[in-house]
Amino acid sequence: ERQESACAPRPKGAPVTDSMRRPAQLAGLLLVVMLGAGLWMDASVLHLFDHPDLGLGVAFVLAAVAFALGEAVVLHVELGKNAHTVSLAELTLAVSLFFVPTAQLPLARLIGGGAVLVLVRRQRPLKVGFNLALWVLDVAVATAVFQALGGALHTGFRGLVLPAVVAAVTSAVVDSLAVNAVIALTSHELEPLRALRFVETCVLNALACGTGAIVCVAALAYSPWLLAPMTLVIGLFLFGFHHFTVLRAQHTNVKVL
């Protein structure tokens, strides 16, 4: 989930006024707070910098690619004048928690998702910075929750189901609250009912992603060869997800007309 409308581009040649600077400054402040909180958790709670593991392997590459694909196919949700996106990133995150080294997971998230924001979505620097800072925080929080619940491979039902689902939901809650916070700070038009519905949408999406992650992790733990058919199934799901967003946009346009 990502904030899409704060600090919208101004017309070319138009002067920058104080009313334009203030939303950008507030969004920048929230960015710094999220980044600081995420890095603090990485250092003090997860201890990622004590023994950094920089030997990037196949799991890291696959996770980065999966994050990129998940961010390339998204569902747009309108909240007043603000547009946000709901992705399948929680699916990749929940699966990666089992297979990608803890210190490498934030990097995979930033490289995979960041590449799409810059090269595909061509977002403005502040939006890219906001999203990257948010991902640092949500990956840190999700990882801490996952570890606290004893998530691990080959530990049975208890180490698989609850940690995967709760980590995915936690990440979605962090993202949705951050989006609502930046709307409240920059536009002052946040409606409580719409904000709650947005959180609800994100949580339901995360529950679905967490459930899918359980299936993926169980299958991969049974046999790595199942990666090929799983990739096909997820690809078809992304294809359907993409076409659903297109149909939803067309339906919205019809209602507006």
Side-chain angles (χ1 to χ4, degrees):
E1 296 80 19
R2 296 180 306 283
Q3 187 265 350
E4 292 284 350
S5 63
C7 307
R10 59 189 175 88
K12 187 176 181 181
V16 179
T17 64
D18 290 339
S19 61
M20 294 179 181
R21 289 194 187 97
R22 183 169 177 78
Q25 292 171 348
L26 292 174
L29 177 61
L30 182 58
L31 183 159
V32 172
V33 170
M34 292 190 302
L35 181 60
L39 291 176
W40 175 82
M41 289 194 66
D42 287 341
S44 302
V45 179
L46 302 174
H47 305 289
L48 300 188
F49 306 128
D50 293 349
H51 304 285
D53 182 4
L54 299 180
L56 307 181
V58 176
F60 171 85
V61 174
L62 292 177
V65 172
F67 277 123
L69 292 175
E71 294 301 331
V73 182
V74 296
L75 174 65
H76 294 279
V77 178
E78 301 292 334
L79 289 179
K81 297 178 181 179
N82 297 279
H84 312 281
T85 57
V86 176
S87 73
L88 301 178
E90 285 83 11
L91 173 62
T92 302
L93 176 60
V95 173
S96 298
L97 285 168
F98 289 93
F99 296 101
V100 179
T102 304
Q104 297 179 14
L105 184 53
L107 187 60
R109 181 72 174 105
L110 296 179
I111 291 177
V116 173
L117 298 185
V118 175
L119 301 177
V120 178
R121 300 193 177 282
R122 300 186 182 279
Q123 290 188 347
R124 290 167 60 84
L126 182 57
K127 291 182 182 179
V128 174
F130 179 90
N131 290 322
L132 295 182
L134 177 54
W135 292 341
V136 170
L137 177 60
D138 72 26
V139 169
V141 174
T143 302
V145 169
F146 179 79
Q147 292 182 354
L149 294 175
L153 286 174
H154 311 299
T155 56
F157 179 86
R158 183 177 180 181
L160 172 62
V161 176
L162 189 62
V165 173
V166 176
V169 171
T170 300
S171 174
V173 170
V174 170
D175 288 358
S176 57
L177 291 179
V179 167
N180 284 331
V182 79
I183 293 175
L185 286 172
T186 59
S187 66
H188 307 290
E189 64 172 19
L190 184 65
E191 298 179 13
L193 183 57
R194 286 187 174 181
L196 289 175
R197 286 178 177 174
F198 179 60
V199 174
E200 179 186 6
T201 299
C202 294
V203 169
L204 291 176
N205 177 72
L207 285 172
C209 288
T211 303
I214 294 170
V215 176
C216 293
V217 171
L220 291 174
Y222 178 77
S223 173
W225 291 104
L226 291 174
L227 178 62
M230 281 173 43
T231 301
L232 177 61
V233 172
I234 293 175
L236 292 173
F237 185 78
L238 288 172
F239 179 79
F241 193 72
H242 169 70
H243 280 270
F244 171 75
T245 60
V246 173
L247 290 175
R248 184 176 182 275
Q250 292 175 349
H251 177 67
T252 302
N253 291 336
V254 170
K255 289 195 297 182
V256 171
L257 293 176

